[in-house]
Amino acid sequence: MASLRYTSQTFVSSAARARRKAAPLVFVPFVCSYATTSKTTAENSKASSASTSPTTSTPPRASSDGSSISSRSSSTDWADNPDFNISKFSELPSTNFGYNQHMLINDEFKEALRQILWTFKAPIRYAFAYGSGVFQQGTGSPSSSKPIHPSPSPAIAKAQQGENKMIDMIFGVSYTQHWHSLNLQQHRDHYSALGSLGSGVVSRVQDRYGAGVYFHPYINVNGTLIKYGVVNLDTLCKDLSEWQTLYLAGRLHKPVKILRDDPRVRLANQINLLSAVRTALLLLPETFSELQLYGTIAGISYMGDLRMSLPTENPHKVSNIVSNQLPHFRRLYAPLIENLPNVDFKDHRCSNPDWVADPSANVQLAQDLDPVKRGNMVRRLPKEFRQKLYFRYQEKFQIPRNEFLKMMDDSTDEDATRIKRREGGPFEQQVANDSEGIEENIRLVTRKTIGWPSTAQSIKSIATAGLSRTWRYVSEKLEKGREARKSKPLLREKQQAAQAIEENSSDRQK
């Protein structure tokens, strides 16, 4: 089948993009012999695994043991041995590394969002906009009967199509206290009474409680109402690479618009996206659809989230996100899927060069259930998440404590004297082969990872946002929840329609 790649023309200069009113999603099908060789070679060898380093550019050819034929440099084993000490984009594994993370939206809308960042004097190293204020989620009804933005730019008003939604943003900063000190001087009105205690207290509340994020809701910037959260870059990178809380890592499992990029975060997020694919594959059967895959990935961050158990959230949120953003999900994950050796697109529609830009297509995929490869996927799960899963199975398999601790020590990622290829052993293969329990245990570990940080973050928001803003936020969420419960889950409808089309096609072939 045709592999996928994004051409360099997709990422043209800012000046060229400014001449376009809208930037369409561009995929270019091509047959990549290197990618095909890597996938085939890895599948034919049980010693290989899902360790072929996926990138958005052409990967190096793999040898029979899954390692690169070239020397094991950081450019060929970035997923197993990432270097988070980088400070330049030129130090990333390849020129186009991580470009799949950059969603294409209307250029005027993107520029209006970037202008918001320039109003802050405190240095913002990394920033992204996310949520229904940026990407359509098809709720079917406006979020408010009256305009929410005081005087938005024409680009923002046009992009939101009258839905009146606050724009959510995350700012990554290098030094938390210094950033808040500068921001308090410029924007004291952004803070609750907590701000009167100074930047030291504000930074301690941010870093020590919840998921390490300090949110400011209902802030008027350039006539646009935004909610922005501040996070330290170290906290962000740790969550992306290790799934410490999955609070921000989960947000980045879904399409976001990166407005200001950082090489270290781009590397950590690529690992995060790859981990999301592997986790989803462990939860899915041998064959599945795109909607099932992306729905599983998008749903990871909502497992155990306190808000999803309350009437403040849309119960169909995940299905609406995936149904309305399918081309964006393809852009985010198709390059990773194409270069993993144990999963592939298996659908006749993929022979059509235009299928990747077709939001109505729901193509089929298949994964290899070989226990060695699945064991390797377990071994390559994010560190903190993997350890919690291991402890679950220590109890289930009744492994003696000393034996288990030795096994954990042998499987540690950090090693000062040699590079470790993270390959699963008999224990990981036994975990992966637990067909009756692995789904339940992954979900339990996910809920455990997300549950308390999410709850603590929600409680913390009362102090950081203030009582009046918190009450307004909760009231609006309750109203949205009531409206959403009246609507039908779009993803289920779309899956049923796709199934009906497939059945009709099969009947005609007979």
Side-chain angles (χ1 to χ4, degrees):
M1 56 148 275
S3 298
L4 305 178
R5 182 175 66 180
Y6 308 109
T7 63
S8 58
Q9 286 85 356
T10 304
F11 305 97
V12 295
S13 66
S14 298
R17 287 196 301 266
R19 291 193 294 268
R20 300 199 308 250
K21 288 186 178 180
L25 178 63
V26 178
F27 289 78
V28 176
F30 78 118
V31 177
C32 174
S33 59
Y34 281 155
T36 304
T37 302
S38 176
K39 187 184 286 278
T40 303
T41 304
E43 286 175 341
N44 289 338
S45 172
K46 283 196 174 184
S48 70
S49 66
S51 64
T52 304
S53 299
T55 66
T56 55
S57 59
T58 303
R61 187 160 52 94
S63 65
S64 60
D65 68 351
S67 62
S68 172
I69 287 179
S70 60
S71 62
R72 285 186 175 180
S73 64
S74 60
S75 63
T76 58
D77 59 13
W78 60 269
D80 286 339
N81 303 284
D83 179 11
F84 292 120
N85 293 318
I86 63 174
S87 59
K88 302 176 182 177
F89 288 101
S90 60
E91 295 174 319
L92 288 168
S94 63
T95 303
N96 293 331
F97 182 87
Y99 271 19
N100 56 306
Q101 299 173 26
H102 285 263
M103 300 298 104
L104 301 179
I105 64 174
N106 178 277
D107 286 324
E108 294 173 356
F109 182 37
K110 176 182 66 179
E111 187 58 30
L113 296 177
R114 284 180 171 169
Q115 288 300 319
I116 292 174
L117 302 183
W118 288 111
T119 64
F120 291 84
K121 294 180 180 178
I124 301 170
R125 289 282 303 278
Y126 179 83
F128 66 86
Y130 66 99
S132 58
V134 182
F135 298 98
Q136 293 293 317
Q137 292 183 8
T139 56
S141 61
S143 61
S144 176
S145 58
K146 59 182 180 180
I148 191 173
H149 303 297
S151 55
S153 70
I156 290 177
K158 181 180 179 181
Q160 293 201 337
Q161 299 177 1
E163 290 197 347
N164 301 316
K165 297 196 175 185
M166 182 165 60
I167 293 176
D168 297 332
M169 293 184 170
I170 293 292
F171 298 165
V173 304
S174 297
Y175 305 101
T176 308
Q177 183 172 349
H178 176 66
W179 196 92
H180 284 295
S181 176
L182 295 175
N183 202 45
L184 276 165
Q185 293 177 29
Q186 183 188 9
H187 299 301
R188 176 60 186 87
D189 59 314
H190 290 191
Y191 292 79
S192 65
L194 196 64
S196 63
L197 300 178
S199 60
V201 173
V202 169
S203 62
R204 282 195 293 273
V205 170
Q206 173 184 319
D207 293 332
R208 294 184 183 182
Y209 304 104
V213 188
Y214 195 107
F215 279 108
H216 304 260
Y218 300 106
I219 304 300
N220 180 3
V221 180
N222 292 346
T224 300
L225 210 61
I226 72 168
K227 178 183 76 176
Y228 69 93
V230 182
V231 63
N232 187 279
L233 285 178
D234 291 337
T235 301
L236 175 58
C237 288
K238 190 173 183 66
D239 193 36
L240 292 173
S241 60
E242 298 183 10
W243 285 13
Q244 189 174 39
T245 67
L246 264 171
Y247 192 82
L248 291 175
R251 277 168 169 73
L252 285 159
H253 287 166
K254 299 172 280 292
V256 304
K257 181 54 193 174
I258 298 172
L259 304 172
R260 193 169 293 174
D261 208 351
D262 176 86
R264 189 159 60 111
V265 179
R266 188 188 291 186
L267 174 60
N269 193 33
Q270 199 75 340
I271 293 171
N272 174 46
L273 297 175
L274 182 58
S275 298
V277 173
R278 286 171 172 156
T279 302
L281 290 176
L282 290 169
L283 295 171
L284 289 167
E286 184 175 5
T287 59
F288 49 91
S289 69
E290 274 191 299
L291 290 177
Q292 287 177 295
L293 173 63
Y294 303 144
T296 302
I297 290 173
I300 290 174
S301 63
Y302 294 114
M303 295 180 193
D305 191 329
L306 171 67
R307 297 169 300 173
M308 296 305 292
S309 62
L310 299 174
T312 56
E313 284 291 350
N314 185 342
H316 315 313
K317 188 168 187 174
V318 172
S319 63
N320 287 341
I321 289 172
V322 176
S323 296
N324 289 279
Q325 300 174 33
L326 186 54
H328 290 307
F329 273 96
R330 282 195 190 119
R331 178 179 179 82
L332 197 56
Y333 290 107
L336 298 175
I337 294 168
E338 277 296 305
N339 286 295
L340 280 173
N342 58 329
V343 61
D344 203 352
F345 290 97
K346 297 289 185 182
D347 198 298
H348 65 87
R349 284 171 291 185
C350 295
S351 60
N352 183 345
D354 299 325
W355 80 269
V356 287
D358 182 4
S360 65
N362 178 26
V363 303
Q364 299 296 304
L365 297 92
Q367 63 169 318
D368 189 343
L369 298 183
D370 177 82
V372 173
K373 294 176 182 177
R374 288 178 69 79
N376 286 333
M377 285 202 299
V378 171
R379 179 65 186 85
R380 287 173 172 80
L381 292 175
K383 178 184 174 182
E384 295 211 13
F385 185 86
R386 184 182 72 241
Q387 288 179 345
K388 293 172 186 173
L389 183 65
Y390 282 3
F391 276 110
R392 289 282 309 170
Y393 275 97
Q394 179 207 8
E395 181 180 347
K396 180 171 183 175
F397 295 156
Q398 298 182 342
I399 302 173
R401 179 176 174 80
N402 290 339
E403 180 182 338
F404 179 75
L405 291 177
K406 183 180 183 301
M407 181 181 65
M408 291 286 287
D409 183 63
D410 291 340
S411 67
T412 185
D413 297 340
E414 293 80 14
D415 193 309
T417 59
R418 64 190 178 94
I419 294 176
K420 286 195 173 183
R421 301 292 292 181
R422 293 193 286 165
E423 297 180 354
F427 174 71
E428 286 83 7
Q429 292 171 27
Q430 192 176 1
V431 170
N433 257 353
D434 181 26
S435 58
E436 296 182 357
I438 188 168
E439 180 177 348
E440 178 187 358
N441 281 301
I442 286 180
R443 293 186 187 280
L444 284 172
V445 169
T446 304
R447 286 196 287 269
K448 183 177 180 180
T449 300
I450 296 170
W452 173 243
S454 173
T455 302
Q457 186 68 45
S458 298
I459 295 171
K460 183 175 77 173
S461 295
I462 299 174
T464 59
L467 289 175
S468 61
R469 286 174 177 166
T470 300
W471 176 250
R472 178 182 177 183
Y473 185 78
V474 172
S475 299
E476 290 185 1
K477 281 288 188 179
L478 285 169
E479 179 61 27
K480 290 179 183 177
R482 283 192 292 267
E483 291 178 359
R485 280 168 173 75
K486 299 176 184 177
S487 65
K488 295 180 180 180
L490 299 180
L491 181 55
R492 188 182 306 164
E493 286 184 339
K494 198 164 186 176
Q495 287 176 328
Q496 291 173 348
Q499 184 177 358
I501 292 172
E502 289 295 326
E503 292 175 353
N504 291 336
S505 177
S506 300
D507 291 341
R508 285 196 299 269
Q509 289 176 359
K510 291 178 182 178

